[in-house]
């Protein structure tokens, strides 16, 4: 588990086609499992408020799906 970090002002969302200001940074692998398409380089990716909400929703769904298989 990693801590969700606040993002300095001036960083843009890493999602392809999105130009909003980022509010959260996440590890790229965590975003990859959510189905969001992230551009750029490096291990960190940045999400704006809208995409952060979408990411949270997507990962919540996948977590509850895994749990329902048990
Ligand atoms: Zn975005």
């Amino acid at each position: 588990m990693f801590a969700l970090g606040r993002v300095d002002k001036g960083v843009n969302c890493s999602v392809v086609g999105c130009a909003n200001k980022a509010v959260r940074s996440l590890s790229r692998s965590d975003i990859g499992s959510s189905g969001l398409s992230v551009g750029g380089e490096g291990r960190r990716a940045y999400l704006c408020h809208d995409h952060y909400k979408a990411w949270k929703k997507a990962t919540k769904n996948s977590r509850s799906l895994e749990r329902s298989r048990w």
Side-chain angles (χ1 to χ4, degrees):
M1 200 58 194
F2 61 94
L4 293 174
R6 286 206 171 198
V7 174
D8 289 336
K9 283 182 180 172
V11 180
N12 283 336
C13 180
S14 301
V15 175
V16 174
C18 180
N20 293 331
K21 293 290 179 209
V23 294
R24 297 284 174 175
S25 76
L26 298 166
S27 78
R28 195 166 284 272
S29 57
D30 282 318
I31 292 178
S33 60
S34 71
L36 291 172
S37 191
V38 179
E41 294 176 352
R43 294 194 149 180
R44 310 294 298 176
Y46 302 95
L47 293 182
C48 66
H49 188 248
D50 286 351
H51 281 123
Y52 177 66
K53 277 202 303 194
W55 172 82
K56 251 173 51 171
K57 202 172 166 187
T59 52
K60 193 192 239 177
N61 285 343
S62 65
R63 273 202 299 271
S64 60
L65 276 175
E66 274 172 30
R67 207 175 293 136
S68 67
R69 279 189 218 130
W70 294 357

